[in-house]
Amino acid sequence: MKKLIFILVLCCSSFHAGAAESKLEQIQLETDLPAVERGADALMNACHTCHSLKYITYRDLVKFGMDKKKVSDWRGDQPLDTALTSQLSDETAIQSYGIVPPDLSLIAKAREGGPSYVYSYLIGYYITPEGMTGNHVFPETRMPDMMGMSGATDPVQRAELQAKARDIVSFLAWAADPHEEERHKLGYYVIGYLLVLTAMLFVVKNQIWSRLK
Amino acid sequence: MKSRVIKWIDQRFPFSSFVKHDLTEYPTPRNLSYWWNFGFLAGFVLVLQVATGIFLAMHYKADVTLSFDSIQHIMRDVNFGWLLRYMHSTGASAFFLVIYIHMARTLYYGSYRAPRELMWWTGQGLLLLLMATAFMGYLLPWGQMSFWGATVITNLFRATPFFGDQVVVWLRGDFGVGDATLTRFFALHYLLPFLIIGGVLVHLVALHTVKSSNPSGIDLAAKDNIPFHPYFTIKDFYGLGIFLIVYCIFVFFLPNSLMEPANNIPANPMQTPTHIVPEWYFLPFYAILRSVPNLVGGVVAMGLSVMVFSFMPYLDRSRIPGGAHYRPWYRVMFYLFVVDMLVLGYVGYIPPTDQSIMIGKIATIFYFAQFVLLPFISRKEEQWLIRCGLPPEVETLIASEAKEKNKLPHQRRIGDIK
Ligand code: HEM
């Protein structure tokens, strides 16, 4: 049993020990509807021009409980079942940036560090001594500093931008794993049930085995 | 009072006698510890994988242009599809964990020795099938790690003498891992679990011929064997409860901790990930592969590191029963082996540095050295133990074994049920 626990601990810990993670800013994710909705709002304004979220449709946003009016503003005259495709064609993207911006539906699960990575990346822009824009987390990134983090020197403004990035990450985390909340809820029931069942099995086991002597 | 239906069946098929002989009244040593639960657990996880796998296959599409999307469809739109997939992906890890513990139990208690060699070898075959199944299943989501893992591993077959390159193409069905590879891996990933079921049946028939070993390693008299039902059915179910709690913690709360983030990026043959790692259960063997600088040598070492377990019945020359329990030298070797495996696993996980490669080499040499030295150590240990005097139970066994020497050769085996 001791070994079992040891192995479990070992594999969990080793799976989180990414090399890049040390310089990431760890965030506590907010998963409530208002935060996710604020994030969606910010993302539709600042990121959606370049990035798609092809596994998310406008209907998903409504079903999650976001404000219907807001969603219909975002989608314009597109049908409700349209996915959040970007407005940037691949050719233009390659011409302008040399790369097609990645789809963001899974981005919160697709990098070592997950949401903390995305957050640190978004707020990681700074002005190098040579006057160029750099990024602490992804130095060679071809994405411009869309949130204006590098230009923000005023602490209040920086805090605002950080809050905005945090909201965007909340939304991206939801988009990457939309059933997470449901999963956790069900998990508490299942594990609670198993605990009771196992305790009862233990009692029955002792009872049956006590017949032996 | 037997129902008429059962009576009707029994006249045509040995149903009741089978249930009685192999399930309810099957004689089982009463002193089995909880380490003996893991065989049952492995069978349970096998059923779980087949059950979830079949439902996943109803929604999955084996086509390079569709498979990544079909997994997202399962995760997002299919009712409880996320549960099916997380149960299946976590189940693969659970399967290996359970099997590795099951094997460690066998190694610790020396249960691979006569007359259980066939159990050990069928188990070895099952391990290979399980590895092949998991490896092929990992390609199916068609993520970056799926693609590059399959590319790296199929590429190893280049080491085949004379027609290595042709073998690689033959395995992949194309020059690179592509649609042909994906469809054939899906077909085989569907097939192999059923071969595993067949192998498990052979494993169990062998078990019921030689009967379970037990922690003392000494044959128990009839009075110490108890019927499987209800004693071990309830014990197995209690163990299952504990297992399911651990399993469900991973399924519901940490399912992504067992998946590489890079596998959430669709496969891209034009872009190699910075660091290709296999699933945790392959890491020690992967470390051995990387520890040998040349391809052929690495492949041979890796293959041997898995297959070398088959030789255990011959390598262990000691006839002292009870496995590591009564054998201090062997016990030390067992624990060192477990530590060595963990070191190798870690070395396989981290990106290679000069230092980690050095550690990997030492751990690899140590891994094989243990197997090579075992015949000598076990022989010497046996002589030493006999000289020092054995625990009284063991003495009794040796005496009864000496008596058995007079029996007919086919009856003369340690561990036989009288
Ligand atoms: C010996 C038992 C089995 C093992 C160890 C196993 C292992 C795996 C693994 C490691 C994956 C990749 C999981 C991921 O990263 O998403 C996978 C995927 C898959 N397996 Fe299995 N599997 C087993 C049995 C089966 C069976 C019997 C079927 C179907 C009849 C099946 C159907 C599938 C399908 C459709 C996928 C793709 C979906 C997915 O990736 O989640 N599996 N399997």
Side-chain angles (χ1 to χ4, degrees), chain B residues 368-380:
Chain B
F368 288 110
Q370 285 215 308
F371 287 99
V372 172
L373 294 178
L374 183 60
F376 309 101
I377 296 180
S378 55
R379 198 11 76 76
K380 278 267 167 291

Side-chain angles (χ1 to χ4, degrees), chain B residues 49-50 53-54 57 71 85 88 92 130 133 137 140-141 186 189-190 193:
Chain B
Q49 288 302 90
V50 171
I54 286 175
I71 299 280
R85 192 208 179 190
H88 198 76
L130 177 64
T133 308
L140 304 185
F186 181 49
H189 184 71
Y190 210 134

Side-chain angles (χ1 to χ4, degrees), chain B residues 45-46 49-58 60-61 71 74-75 84-86 88-93 95-96 129-130 133-142 146 186 189-194 196 258-259 263 279 281:
Chain B
V45 183
L46 175 60
Q49 288 302 90
V50 171
T52 51
I54 286 175
F55 282 96
L56 283 171
M58 294 177 192
Y60 171 77
K61 295 197 169 53
I71 299 280
I74 291 171
M75 293 296 284
L84 283 176
R85 192 208 179 190
Y86 281 149
H88 198 76
S89 60
T90 311
S93 283
F95 210 151
F96 277 92
L129 281 173
L130 177 64
T133 308
F135 166 64
M136 290 176 182
Y138 196 58
L139 183 70
L140 304 185
W142 203 247
S146 301
F186 181 49
H189 184 71
Y190 210 134
L191 169 69
L192 293 192
F194 294 92
I196 293 181
L258 298 166
M259 288 191 190
N263 231 23
E279 298 280 84
Y281 36 81

Side-chain angles (χ1 to χ4, degrees), chain A residues 1 4 194 198 201, chain B residues 237-247:
Chain A
M1 200 59 213
L4 186 109
L194 284 172
T198 308
L201 285 169
Chain B
F237 275 112
Y238 168 57
L240 179 62
I242 304 273
F243 165 81
L244 283 177
I245 291 170
V246 176
Y247 173 71

Side-chain angles (χ1 to χ4, degrees), chain A residues 1 4 6 8 14-15 55-56 106 109-111 175 179 183-184 187 195 198 201-202 205 208-209 212, chain B residues 34-35 68-69 72 75-76 82 86 101 231 234 237-238 241 245-246 252 256-257 261 264-265 342 349:
Chain A
M1 200 59 213
L4 186 109
F6 178 62
L8 281 177
S14 66
F15 272 92
Y55 297 118
I56 300 289
L106 279 163
K109 286 207 301 193
R111 295 287 180 275
H179 293 288
R183 195 175 78 223
H184 288 179
L195 284 171
T198 308
L201 285 169
F202 182 64
K205 187 221 144 221
I208 290 179
W209 278 71
L212 268 179
Chain B
Y34 280 102
W35 296 117
F68 193 88
D69 290 347
Q72 287 310 312
M75 293 296 284
R76 291 161 193 272
W82 56 268
Y86 281 149
I101 293 176
Y231 298 105
I234 186 67
F237 275 112
Y238 168 57
I245 291 170
V246 176
F252 288 100
N256 293 312
S257 67
N264 286 311
I265 306 169
L342 295 176
Y349 179 69

Side-chain angles (χ1 to χ4, degrees), chain B residues 108-111 113-114 214-219 316 318-327 330 381-382 385-386 390-391 393-398 401 414-415:
Chain B
Y108 184 89
Y109 288 105
S111 319
R113 290 183 293 181
N214 72 75
S216 77
I218 296 162
D219 262 347
D316 187 353
S318 167
R319 286 158 301 170
I320 305 290
H325 191 60
Y326 296 120
R327 298 170 57 188
Y330 182 72
E381 182 194 48
E382 186 195 57
L385 282 171
I386 290 175
L390 297 167
E393 313 97 277
V394 182
E395 295 283 11
T396 335
L397 180 93
I398 306 254
E401 212 212 326
I414 322 169

